[in-house]
Amino acid sequence: MKKMLIAGNWKMNCNSFEATVLVEYIWGGLLEKILKSEILVCPPFTSLETVVKVLEKAPVHVGAQNCHYEPKGAFTGEISIQMLSHIGVEYVIIGHSERRSIFGEDDELINNKLKAIINADLKPILCIGETLNERNEGKTFDILKFQLEKCLESVTESDIYKITIAYEPVWAIGTGISATREQIVEAHDWLRTYLISKYGSVANDVIILYGGSLNAKNAESVLSVKNVNGGLIGGASLNPEEFLIIINVAENILSNS
Ligand code: PGA
């Protein structure tokens, strides 16, 4: 049965007041609904505790956008997974292309974070994806394979289902140019096949999200792809009406599947 996770990556947007207004609007749009999809919002660190409290009784989960892999210590400016867990955060996004390209995070660091998140019983969302140059040079699947091999190093069959993978072509993030349905079908089929070849049939249960200019207009075309289990949504998740439309699209797809 198809599963769906609709996740909002707010990036560096919303102070705690703005975050409260945003999630109250989203929750308001979900009242009286029995949801088949899982809904997630990932605010900046300073709004996390507020958002967890506001959403305490709401069918909306809360995630962070980053973490450090050590539980504590001399890491100025960092936040540990234990600190996130303590305030009720359930998910952590890692390996986002903005963290890779702007902050120089590499696959080894991402692998350390991933293992620490699993050990702490939180849920990692691992972002992978090729740049435009890599796609134009025909290297898309080499890149995805390389990133998965490094980021999932020492992850076993018994843990693979705990990891959500987000395929985010770098060139589609924040550009308004989503990958085409054909490109998404090809990438997600490849990812599912790769995961099954490595981990066996348990990999059928791994949630694979698409991210990159997903919005209310293209949601139906993207989310209805067989091996797409939801979206990691940046810009459009900051507009609560648009986010609710995307959730509705996901709900309709699940109802008809
Ligand atoms: P976007 O961002 O939806 O604004 O393209 C997606 C992401 O960065 O996760």
Side-chain angles (χ1 to χ4, degrees):
M1 211 178 71
K2 192 169 166 97
K3 288 191 281 181
M4 206 83 95
L5 170 66
I6 302 299
N9 173 13
W10 294 5
K11 310 193 181 188
M12 198 173 72
N13 293 290
C14 292
N15 61 30
S16 52
F17 174 74
E18 292 159 339
T20 303
V21 174
L22 185 48
V23 289
E24 279 179 345
Y25 193 104
I26 294 168
W27 187 11
L30 300 174
L31 288 177
E32 317 288 328
K33 289 199 174 158
I34 298 168
L35 293 168
K36 294 188 167 71
S37 341
E38 188 162 338
I39 315 301
L40 172 69
V41 291
C42 301
F45 286 131
T46 50
S47 305
L48 280 172
E49 196 164 5
T50 307
V51 167
V52 168
K53 281 190 184 133
V54 172
L55 293 176
E56 205 185 337
K57 296 197 167 62
V60 182
H61 301 258
V62 181
Q65 300 171 20
N66 188 22
C67 65
H68 195 278
Y69 59 87
E70 291 289 356
K72 61 179 177 178
F75 301 101
T76 302
E78 292 294 309
I79 303 284
S80 76
I81 298 155
Q82 287 68 18
M83 292 168 185
L84 298 172
S85 169
H86 181 72
I87 58 167
V89 166
E90 289 176 72
Y91 283 85
V92 188
I93 299 172
I94 50 171
H96 191 280
S97 80
E98 285 149 18
R99 297 227 50 95
R100 291 173 187 262
S101 66
I102 305 171
F103 302 101
E105 295 196 5
D106 62 16
D107 292 309
E108 193 187 335
L109 176 69
I110 296 161
N111 176 246
N112 282 332
K113 293 184 185 196
L114 182 125
K115 289 183 291 193
I117 295 167
I118 293 174
N119 282 340
D121 280 332
L122 266 68
K123 301 173 189 173
I125 299 180
L126 168 64
C127 303
I128 54 169
E130 81 288 357
T131 64
L132 191 55
N133 275 347
E134 289 161 349
R135 174 163 283 271
N136 289 341
E137 287 168 12
K139 291 188 189 150
T140 298
F141 298 110
D142 294 338
I143 295 296
L144 296 183
K145 186 162 184 269
F146 183 84
Q147 290 178 336
L148 283 177
E149 265 168 17
K150 298 274 175 200
C151 295
L152 295 178
E153 203 177 297
S154 78
V155 170
T156 61
E157 280 158 44
S158 56
D159 281 337
I160 189 67
Y161 75 94
K162 299 175 184 167
I163 298 164
T164 296
I165 311 259
Y167 169 58
E168 298 207 305
V170 178
W171 46 274
I173 296 176
T175 57
I177 305 164
S178 163
T180 63
R181 188 177 156 95
E182 292 67 33
Q183 288 168 328
I184 296 172
V185 168
E186 190 188 28
H188 282 247
D189 285 354
W190 185 91
L191 287 167
R192 183 74 69 202
T193 306
Y194 172 86
L195 291 169
I196 291 172
S197 74
K198 207 164 165 201
Y199 296 98
S201 60
V202 67
N204 279 311
D205 290 333
V206 173
I207 300 278
I208 308 178
L209 308 179
Y210 169 78
S213 299
L214 183 52
N215 57 38
K217 285 205 183 91
N218 59 26
E220 164 74 33
S221 152
V222 174
L223 298 177
S224 59
V225 170
K226 182 170 148 256
N227 277 314
V228 170
N229 302 111
L232 185 57
I233 305 153
S237 72
L238 294 169
N239 175 341
E241 281 166 27
E242 185 155 14
F243 194 58
L244 285 168
I245 293 174
I246 299 171
I247 293 171
N248 257 330
V249 169
E251 288 295 295
N252 287 336
I253 291 169
L254 290 183
S255 298
N256 298 325
S257 71

